């Protein structure tokens, strides 16, 4: 008999256990940690990173990556701020923020999905372009005095901070998209095995476009919340955010090789990162040390991901989506890069 | 442990939810071919992966030349004289043929990889086999049967004392199998041992000295091949007597032409191919390696480019630009290479099975979980897929069971025309019968089936008509009264002059 064993697959829940441990640990380390004020503050702080993390998760599950998130976030947020100062229309400002995020990501999508350029390179380029654009737009100056714009980042609804509510809503939407729609299935399939997805009738390019658009909307919203929370349009904001945004889903079990990951895991990953940052602030750990800790977490999470899938690692994010073509006759194999080493 | 080259004692291996091997013991004598038989999911590949160091057993020991060893990984295994041709061809698609021969042991000269030597050796190996591929062609552009042939050549070239062959012939036949057997016999004569896994019982009985039968992770019997018959072995594999009607073929009154391809061509692959399949008809596509059969169906299905020709489905001309448009027009393709273009490895069985029919399970704004479970569960039971549940990731299934799930994917999609490329590849005896029954059912429902197979008995047993291809052209179209293995092979080997 192929005996069925009752087994509790601990690894599936380990991220939530870690989250609980971090929470409990933090409450011992600092008496202020559990205060309502601090908890609400944490929620405000994690909202931006978590929203970006959902975009990063979507793309990584789909076998892509976005290194431009931090820069595009600044571009979108500052654009939104400037529109607000000109028009005093909150709605218009938010829409412009989102539109800038989507526009940048449509460029990414075109290069990745239509021209088959590796997402890694494309979004690296976009990172420079978006940062340049926002600096040019503001001539490097911070935009100050935002007036009522701050209610998005600093306001509350009842006792709940607005960013936390937005995060809650976005979490629900992302969960829905990933689990209840054809688009979500498509993302998992394309990231899991692009050629098989195509052969099963998935519109691969279309799925990639949609994933980038989702990412664009999220980056735009994150930008608006960020600028509103700090009550300024900062053209230099968000440096390094793309990496934090990538860390959260990876800690939460999203695989760098694509096709695997959950919304709940990403939320937990983002909360862990957020709580660690908060407790380091509360206990007076310097910001340089904080950077080292965050770096360590990223490296550990990625190393764990690679280690746990030894033997079948295919890091898709560094690979172009292009289907191979026959090597030209007479081509010199020696002229191509060394073949990947792999034990067969 | 004298007189054995390799032995395995009391090996147990469990995966979450599955006991793949349970106290397995068997011995391989030097200079013999030891066949391993068993149903899909019996544990054959798992056992071989333990011997090759890919998996560590939970319990039990492995002995090599009388010495107890712990094989840490495949490199360690090779150092001990053990090599494996694995069932799921683990090639790097963008590697060239020449590179693939020397993968992991690229010869160097003065510190640099010696490409000239690599190419000339590769050329020599191919020439000896009568193959004329350019050695810098990328593996991606080859068919599974071609890759399988290359893997065999490579393994034999770097010969080991114990050579494990996990279903080496699942995609090849005849000439290639003959040539493989000649090589196996030569190795055996040198005192080397081969562990041979196959679902093709006639091959097993032709080549094996010893036979071990596995069922559900345990050894049922292990003896010299002369002491067991094919029927006995099959009965031991499935745990009951199999009913002996091998091909449940029914002649169904044929409907109108469901699929018609005229003048298909693709530069360097095939030329001027005409194929017609009527509703209710099962049509075979026979041929040898390199005949272009898989290339034809891939191009028809929109996976590769077509240089010329027209396709009609249900009497209307269709223009197929991608698999998506092919599916819209009522086509389906069960591909030859399940690892590259079939499975999405980390996805569950269930989601893999419904991947080509998403509108059936996700509509009205949400995923209908119960409906999906019902659709998949039906095939899961019918085809006897061995897995803890439909939520299991497909990558953890045995090769044959993965194939069943992929077939289910297309049955759920319910197309008018099914293109099946080696539908029973790696499928065990019992499940094969089940697949034949499914094909018959489909025909009865008026579906049109075009089937590629390297097993002639299967084509002869199931098909209403057989096209034979050779060197990219259709060389014959045979009706049942003309069927014979010899005739098909003649057309498959000769060029059009015979037709
Ligand atoms: N990595 C894995 N994780 C979980 N289960 C596995 C894994 N590998 C194999 N199994 C399970 O172990 C059992 C034996 O699988 P194995 O691949 O050894 O079968 P097999 O005899 O080679 O079958 P086939 O003829 O289909 O190739 C199956 O039930 C399979 O689902
Ligand atoms: Mg196997």
């Amino acid at each position: 008999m192929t005996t069925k064993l009752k087994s509790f697959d601990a690894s599936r829940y380990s991220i939530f256990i870690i989250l609980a441990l971090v929470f409990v640990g933090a409450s011992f380390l600092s008496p202020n940690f559990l205060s309502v004020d601090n908890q609400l503050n944490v929620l405000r702080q994690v909202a931006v990173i978590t929203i970006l993390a959902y975009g990063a998760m979507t793309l990584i599950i789909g076998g892509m990556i976005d290194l431009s998130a931090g820069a595009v976030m600044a571009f979108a947020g500052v654009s939104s701020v400037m529109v607000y100062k000109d028009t005093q229309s909150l709605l218009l400002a938010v829409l412009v923020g989102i539109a800038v995020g989507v526009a940048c990501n449509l460029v990414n999508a075109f290069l990745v999905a239509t021209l088959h350029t590796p997402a890694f390179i494309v979004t690296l380029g976009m990172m420079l372009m978006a940062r340049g654009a926002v600096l040019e737009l503001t001539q490097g100056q911070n935009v100050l005095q935002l007036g009522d714009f701050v209610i998005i980042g600093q306001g509350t609804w009842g006792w709940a901070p607005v960013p936390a509510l937005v995060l809650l809503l976005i979490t629900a939407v992302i969960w829905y998209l990933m689990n209840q729609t054809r688009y979500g299935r498509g993302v998992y399939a394309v990231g899991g095995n692009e050629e098989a997805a195509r052969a099963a009738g998935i519109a691969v390019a279309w799925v990639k476009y949609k994933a980038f658009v989702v990412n664009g909307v999220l980056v735009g919203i994150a930008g608006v919340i960020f600028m509103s929370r700090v009550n300024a349009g900062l053209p230099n904001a968000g440096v390094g955010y793309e990496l934090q945004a990538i860390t959260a889903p990876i800690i939460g079990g999203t695989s760098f090789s694509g096709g695997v990951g959950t919304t709940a895991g990403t939320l937990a990953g983002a909360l862990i990162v957020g709580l660690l940052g908060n407790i380091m602030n509360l206990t007076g750990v310097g910001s340089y040390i904080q950077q080292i800790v965050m770096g360590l977490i990223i490296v550990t999470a990625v190393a764990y991901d690679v280690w746990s899938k030894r033997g079948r690692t295919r890091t898709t994010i560094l690979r172009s989506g292009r289907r191979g073509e026959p090597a030209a006759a007479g081509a010199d194999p020696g002229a191509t890069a060394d073949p990947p080493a792999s034990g067969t | 442990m004298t007189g054995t080259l390799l032995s395995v004692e009391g090996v147990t291996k469990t995966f979450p939810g599955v006991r793949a091997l349970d106290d397995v013991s068997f011995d391989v004598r030097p200079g013999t071919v030891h066949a391993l038989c068993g149903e899909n999911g019996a544990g054959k590949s798992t056992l071989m992966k333990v011997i090759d160091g890919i998996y560590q057993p939970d319990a039990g020991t492995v002995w090599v030349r009388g010495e107890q060893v712990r094989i840490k990984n495949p490199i360690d295994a090779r150092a001990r004289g053990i090599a494996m041709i694995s069932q799921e061809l683990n090639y790097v698609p963008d590697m060239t043929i020449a590179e693939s021969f020397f993968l992991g042991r690229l010869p160097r000269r003065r510190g640099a990889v010696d490409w000239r030597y690599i190419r000339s050796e590769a050329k020599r190996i191919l020439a000896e086999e009568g193959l004329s591929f350019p050695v810098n062609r990328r593996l991606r552009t080859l068919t599974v049967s071609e890759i399988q042939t290359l893997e065999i050549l490579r393994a034999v070239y770097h010969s080991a004392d114990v050579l494990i062959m996990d279903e080496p012939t699942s995609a090849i036949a005849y000439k290639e199998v003959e040539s493989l057997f000649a090589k196996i016999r030569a190795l055996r004569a040198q005192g080397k041992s081969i562990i041979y896994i196959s679902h093709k019982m006639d091959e097993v009985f032709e080549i094996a000295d010893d036979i071990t039968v596995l069922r559900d992770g345990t050894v049922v019997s292990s003896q010299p091949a002369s002491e067991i018959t094919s029927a006995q072995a099959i009965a031991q594999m499935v745990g009951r007597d199999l009913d002996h009607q091998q091909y449940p073929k029914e002649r169904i009154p044929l409907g109108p032409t469901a699929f018609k391809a005229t003048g298909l061509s693709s530069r360097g692959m095939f030329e001027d191919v005409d194929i017609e399949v009527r509703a209710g008809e099962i049509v075979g596509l026979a041929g040898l390696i390199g005949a272009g059969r898989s290339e034809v169906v891939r191009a028809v299905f929109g996976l590769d480019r077509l240089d010329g020709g027209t396709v009609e489905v249900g009497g209307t001309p269709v223009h197929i630009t991608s698999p998506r448009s092919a599916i819209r027009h009522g086509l389906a393709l069960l591909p030859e290479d399940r690892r590259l273009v079939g499975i999405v490895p980390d996805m569950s069985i269930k989601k893999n099975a419904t991947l080509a029919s998403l509108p059936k399970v996700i509509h009205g704004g949400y995923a209908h979980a119960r409906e999906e479970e019902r659709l998949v569960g039906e095939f899961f039971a019918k085809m006897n897929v061995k897995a803890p549940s439909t939520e299991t990731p497909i990558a953890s299934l045995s090769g044959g069971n993965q194939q069943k799930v992929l077939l289910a994917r297309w049955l759920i999609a319910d197309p008018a025309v099914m293109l099946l490329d080696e539908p029973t590849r790696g499928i065990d005896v019992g499940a094969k019968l089940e697949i034949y029954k499914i094909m018959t059912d489909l025909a009865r429902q008026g579906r049109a089936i075009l089937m590629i197979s390297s097993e002639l008995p299967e084509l002869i047993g199931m098909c209403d008509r057989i096209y034979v291809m050779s060197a990219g052209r259709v060389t014959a179209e045979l009706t049942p009264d003309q069927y014979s293995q010899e005739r098909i092979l003649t057309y498959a080997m000769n060029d059009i002059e015979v037709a």
Side-chain angles (χ1 to χ4, degrees):
Chain A
M1 280 304 292
T2 326
T3 331
K4 287 193 181 172
L5 303 173
K6 282 247 155 62
S7 76
F8 174 71
D9 189 1
S11 61
R12 273 184 64 183
Y13 302 101
S14 55
I15 184 66
F16 303 105
I17 296 168
I18 294 174
L19 176 60
L21 289 178
V22 168
F23 193 84
V24 172
S27 56
F28 278 106
L29 280 171
S30 167
N32 288 334
F33 177 76
L34 282 178
S35 73
V36 175
D37 267 0
N38 185 55
Q39 287 299 313
L40 294 183
N41 188 33
V42 169
L43 280 179
R44 248 185 251 279
Q45 282 174 358
V46 295
V48 168
I49 284 296
T50 313
I51 291 169
L52 292 177
Y54 287 141
M57 171 190 83
T58 304
L59 290 172
I60 295 173
I61 291 176
M64 295 166 285
I65 197 164
D66 179 17
L67 297 179
S68 66
V72 174
M73 181 194 93
F75 186 23
V78 168
S79 307
S80 173
V81 162
M82 294 178 94
V83 168
Y84 183 75
K85 288 200 78 160
D86 275 0
T87 66
Q88 296 296 308
S89 162
L90 209 50
L91 179 68
L92 191 63
V94 171
L95 287 180
V96 166
I98 293 175
V100 170
V102 170
C104 293
N105 276 278
L106 278 174
V107 175
N108 286 339
F110 173 73
L111 290 159
V112 171
T114 305
L115 299 186
H116 305 284
T117 323
F120 193 88
I121 306 295
V122 168
T123 59
L124 200 61
M126 178 55 70
M127 171 167 123
L128 292 175
M129 288 190 283
R131 183 67 66 189
V134 67
L135 286 169
E136 174 65 28
L137 188 66
T138 58
Q139 288 305 306
Q141 301 298 310
N142 293 347
V143 184
L144 301 172
Q145 271 140 28
L146 303 189
D148 278 346
F149 191 76
V150 299
I151 61 164
I152 302 172
Q154 299 182 357
T156 53
W157 196 66
W159 54 267
V162 173
L165 292 175
V166 174
L167 175 60
L168 200 67
L169 183 69
I170 288 180
T171 303
V173 170
I174 293 294
W175 178 86
Y176 169 78
L177 286 177
M178 295 309 282
N179 294 288
Q180 298 289 325
T181 66
R182 289 176 218 167
Y183 151 78
R185 285 284 170 96
V187 172
Y188 282 100
V190 168
N193 183 350
E194 187 170 327
E195 294 193 28
R198 193 169 96 90
I202 304 287
V204 173
W206 191 222
V207 166
K208 290 182 176 176
Y209 268 93
K210 285 185 185 163
F212 271 112
V213 167
V214 167
N215 183 54
V217 171
L218 294 176
V219 171
I221 293 175
V224 171
I225 294 179
F226 181 95
M227 300 306 166
S228 166
R229 187 165 65 80
V230 299
N231 191 10
L234 308 179
N236 282 306
V239 173
Y241 272 36
E242 58 282 340
L243 294 182
Q244 291 194 42
I246 290 166
T247 311
I250 298 294
I251 294 181
T254 298
S255 167
F256 247 129
S257 31
V260 180
T262 63
T263 310
T266 298
L267 179 60
L271 288 176
I272 289 175
V273 173
L275 290 178
L276 284 176
N278 177 246
I279 195 64
M280 286 191 288
N281 278 335
L282 288 180
T283 54
V285 176
S287 66
Y288 303 148
I289 300 289
Q290 291 198 16
Q291 282 201 24
I292 297 179
V293 172
M294 286 303 166
L296 266 176
I297 293 175
I298 298 181
V299 174
T300 313
V302 174
Y304 175 78
D305 171 48
V306 172
W307 173 82
S308 65
K309 328 185 100 188
R310 273 164 309 172
R312 50 194 199 90
T313 17
R314 308 160 289 123
T315 306
T316 16
I317 55 159
L318 292 173
R319 179 190 81 180
S320 80
R322 193 184 189 83
R323 284 169 53 77
E325 275 139 22
D332 184 356
T336 66
D338 262 10
S342 109
T344 321
Chain B
M1 295 267 146
T2 50
T4 71
L5 185 50
L6 173 89
S7 53
V8 163
E9 229 180 68
V11 163
T12 297
K13 176 74 192 171
T14 55
F15 296 108
V18 184
R19 187 180 293 272
L21 295 175
D22 190 1
D23 195 18
V24 168
S25 305
F26 85 115
D27 300 325
V28 179
R29 298 179 287 139
T32 60
V33 176
H34 196 123
L36 214 51
C37 299
E39 286 189 292
N40 295 132
K44 305 178 297 293
S45 298
T46 305
L47 180 57
M48 295 304 107
K49 286 177 187 169
V50 166
I51 296 175
D52 198 39
I54 296 172
Y55 293 149
Q56 297 302 318
D58 303 335
T61 50
V62 177
W63 303 68
V64 178
R65 294 181 207 84
E67 184 193 342
Q68 185 181 339
V69 295
R70 200 179 79 80
I71 298 170
K72 292 193 278 295
N73 52 45
I75 298 169
D76 190 22
R78 200 147 318 146
R80 298 179 191 284
I82 298 168
M84 171 153 97
I85 303 178
S86 60
Q87 176 179 14
E88 298 305 325
L89 303 167
N90 263 317
Y91 59 96
V92 183
D94 286 316
M95 186 172 284
T96 66
I97 294 179
E99 279 168 334
S100 77
F101 273 133
F102 293 91
L103 179 59
R105 52 182 102 180
L106 293 170
R108 284 165 191 277
R109 215 177 56 168
R110 282 189 247 116
V113 174
D114 190 351
W115 289 111
R116 185 175 308 173
Y117 176 76
I118 289 176
R119 262 179 319 225
S120 73
E121 273 298 279
K123 238 176 241 162
R124 191 181 61 73
I125 299 169
L126 289 182
E128 258 174 32
E129 191 65 15
L131 295 172
S132 56
F133 305 118
V135 293
N136 50 19
R137 249 180 89 174
R138 297 203 185 278
L139 298 185
R140 185 188 285 283
T141 67
L142 302 176
T143 65
V144 169
S145 35
E146 287 160 352
I147 286 169
Q148 206 159 55
T149 308
L150 294 177
E151 290 248 336
I152 291 169
L153 293 178
R154 166 171 177 245
V156 172
Y157 177 74
H158 302 285
S159 73
D161 295 340
V162 180
L163 183 54
I164 298 168
M165 299 188 171
D166 195 349
E167 303 194 29
T169 59
S170 62
I172 61 174
Y174 299 98
K175 195 164 60 93
E176 292 80 24
V177 175
E178 278 314 310
S179 139
L180 169 65
F181 282 4
K183 291 190 187 84
I184 290 179
R185 292 194 179 99
L187 290 173
R188 177 168 62 184
Q190 294 164 27
K192 304 195 161 152
S193 300
I194 286 95
I195 303 180
Y196 190 88
I197 299 179
S198 177
H199 290 292
K200 302 178 180 173
M201 298 310 287
D202 44 344
E203 282 180 7
V204 166
F205 278 87
E206 182 180 342
I207 195 80
D209 301 299
D210 296 328
I211 295 180
T212 293
V213 180
L214 277 179
R215 184 170 74 233
D216 292 334
T218 58
V219 172
V220 187
S221 76
S222 188
Q223 64 272 299
S226 52
E227 291 172 18
I228 185 173
T229 65
S230 170
Q232 283 168 335
I234 292 174
Q236 288 182 358
M237 280 161 56
V238 298
R240 65 193 150 85
D241 282 322
L242 212 59
D243 69 46
H244 270 283
Q245 180 211 5
Q246 218 186 346
Y247 296 105
K249 176 67 190 161
E250 273 175 42
R251 304 252 161 246
I252 288 133
L254 300 183
T257 300
F259 174 83
K260 186 171 178 190
T262 324
L264 298 183
S265 63
S266 167
R267 210 162 308 123
M269 297 291 186
F270 51 86
E271 228 185 298
D272 209 16
V273 171
D274 295 347
I275 290 172
E276 204 180 322
V277 189
R278 296 171 62 180
E281 195 177 25
I282 302 178
V283 172
L285 205 48
L288 301 176
I289 291 185
R293 297 171 298 164
S294 298
E295 286 85 348
V296 169
V297 293
R298 281 181 58 99
V300 164
F301 192 63
L303 271 172
D304 297 331
R305 216 167 42 112
L306 207 52
D307 289 330
T310 55
V311 174
E312 286 174 31
V313 179
T316 29
V318 294
H319 180 62
I320 291 166
T321 49
S322 67
R324 190 177 178 78
S325 69
I327 293 168
R328 285 237 179 85
H329 288 119
L331 299 185
L333 168 65
L334 181 71
E336 182 188 27
D337 189 332
R338 63 173 162 256
R339 193 178 70 96
L340 212 59
V341 286
I343 65 167
V344 180
D346 293 312
M347 249 189 193
S348 65
I349 292 175
K350 191 198 289 180
K351 289 180 179 171
N352 263 287
T354 56
L355 195 58
S357 328
L358 289 183
K360 282 191 186 156
V361 292
I362 304 179
H363 52 87
Y366 66 101
H368 300 251
R370 211 168 301 152
E371 176 68 6
E372 188 169 20
E373 184 62 46
R374 192 188 61 74
L375 272 173
V376 178
E378 194 183 310
F379 294 103
F380 197 73
K382 198 165 172 185
M383 293 198 261
N384 188 24
V385 178
K386 264 192 200 155
S389 82
T390 57
E391 299 290 346
T392 311
I394 195 170
S396 71
L397 295 191
S398 78
N401 283 308
Q402 292 182 4
Q403 182 76 358
K404 294 179 201 170
V405 175
L406 290 182
L407 184 60
R409 176 187 288 171
W410 295 114
L411 293 174
I412 291 170
D414 196 21
V417 180
M418 284 261 211
L419 311 171
L420 305 177
D421 197 347
E422 303 284 359
T424 62
R425 179 159 108 80
I427 297 263
D428 67 45
V429 206
K432 256 185 195 168
L433 188 63
E434 212 44 62
I435 287 180
Y436 298 143
K437 282 186 188 151
I438 289 171
M439 289 172 62
T440 306
D441 275 351
L442 289 171
R444 209 184 290 128
Q445 293 161 25
R447 305 287 183 267
I449 299 177
L450 180 65
M451 160 163 104
I452 294 177
S453 174
S454 53
E455 284 181 64
L456 285 189
E458 174 174 287
L459 287 177
I460 291 175
M462 290 304 296
C463 294
D464 299 290
R465 219 150 31 86
I466 297 178
Y467 291 101
V468 188
M469 281 187 70
S470 170
R473 288 170 176 275
V474 173
T475 50
E477 180 185 340
L478 305 173
T479 46
D481 51 310
Q482 301 169 304
Y483 287 175
S484 80
Q485 301 212 15
E486 293 69 33
R487 182 175 280 130
I488 294 176
L489 280 176
T490 316
Y491 286 114
M493 286 185 293
N494 286 356
D495 286 334
I496 16 179
E497 74 218 57
V498 221

